[in-house]
Amino acid sequence: MKTITITKPDDLHLHVRNGAVLKTVLPHTARQFARAIIMPNLKPPVTTVAQALTYREEILQAIPAELDFAPLMTLYLTGSTTEAEIKKAAASEHIHAFKLYPAGATTNSDSGVADIKAIYPLLAAMERLDIPLLIHGEVTDDACDIFDRERAFIDTYLTDITDNFPGLRIVLEHVTTAEAVQFVQASSTNVAATITPQHLLFNRNALLAGGIRPHYYCLPIIKRESHRLALVEAATSGNPKFFLGTDSAPHLTSLKETACGCAGCYSAHAALELYAEAFERADALDKLEGFASFYGADFYRLPRNSGTVTLEKTAWKVPPTYGKGNLSITPLKANEELGWKLQ
Ligand code: NCD
Ligand code: ZN
């Protein structure tokens, strides 16, 4: 049987929520990944070191006893974040980054930053204290076409940020366009990007052709085929600026399959398998380990993991939903067959 063994990977962009949803989704990630960068967009958002440490404890409680997994916490940047909090975060071994959501850009981003220029003193502090900034790179301008919002963010904000803070380590999260890929490639080694499985595997036809399919709706929205090809090329290039971040973002099925469905694809149930499919299609399985297990750790200055995971070429069917009782989460590729399976 065909197998592929790689060093244990990390997920550098993950939503696990809290409460019952956390207990349902976390085991999926913990069996595949050694560590994950945990997004802070809870309700209310995780804005302080104290809140992040409490949230970390809740996550630790949800890890199945037989699994070894480390949550890497982040703080949600707001207009009222203080330099003192940034100092505290940089000094904490458990806090690894700040996340910038433009206010209103995505799920639970209402407390995000409304005026990006106004927080430049905070970015200066992050640069000085050497703590990374993770960016949801989309403008929130209603007049801007939703398919152009990432490109507009790069032109309107990101270029100015990287020009003003050349020493700041930045991850442009879940890149979805050829323009974002080009921007990251042309930037210094302080600028990197995560890429999700859905943006490598699907173009916007998956979302809209033949009927509207809410489980493919996430932000930034899936783009046309030429962008998908640029992302595959970047992910499989061996360029260490591009690494794995699933953006697995669970929402209850009832909140996805409705007149105004939430943004977010749930992929943690089969994250590595989905990436393996994308890399195999590009005839680049040999590049999966760097993307999944090395480059993200290197960027965050974490030791590379020891231990390995093995995927085998075995077909299995993704269940229709996960979660017990009235908790139902529909995963990516629900009811469909996957070619790779984690041993
Ligand atoms: C994420 C979520 O649901 O928290 N949704 C999404 O569509 N990706 C938020 C985010 O990362 O934008
Ligand atoms: Zn996300």
Side-chain angles (χ1 to χ4, degrees), residues 43-59:
K43 286 189 249 181
V46 179
T47 56
T48 65
V49 173
Q51 285 174 314
L53 295 181
T54 305
Y55 183 30
R56 179 173 174 272
E57 286 305 319
E58 189 187 353
I59 295 170

Side-chain angles (χ1 to χ4, degrees), residues 13 15 17 39 41 99 101 105-108 136 138 173-174 196 198-199 217-220 247-251 256 262-265:
H13 182 127
H15 302 266
R17 318 302 188 199
M39 289 297 128
N41 62 332
K99 178 71 186 277
Y101 292 99
T106 186
T107 305
N108 300 346
H136 183 109
E138 286 193 286
E173 298 292 340
H174 39 51
T196 78
Q198 65 267 25
H199 291 102
Y217 175 58
C218 65
L219 289 171
D247 192 25
S248 177
H251 291 279
K256 295 281 295 175
C262 295
C265 297

Side-chain angles (χ1 to χ4, degrees), residues 23-53:
K23 291 198 185 91
T24 304
V25 301
L26 194 68
H28 289 162
T29 292
R31 57 186 275 276
Q32 307 211 357
F33 296 98
R35 301 170 290 205
I37 291 280
I38 306 293
M39 289 297 128
N41 62 332
L42 299 185
K43 286 189 249 181
V46 179
T47 56
T48 65
V49 173
Q51 285 174 314
L53 295 181

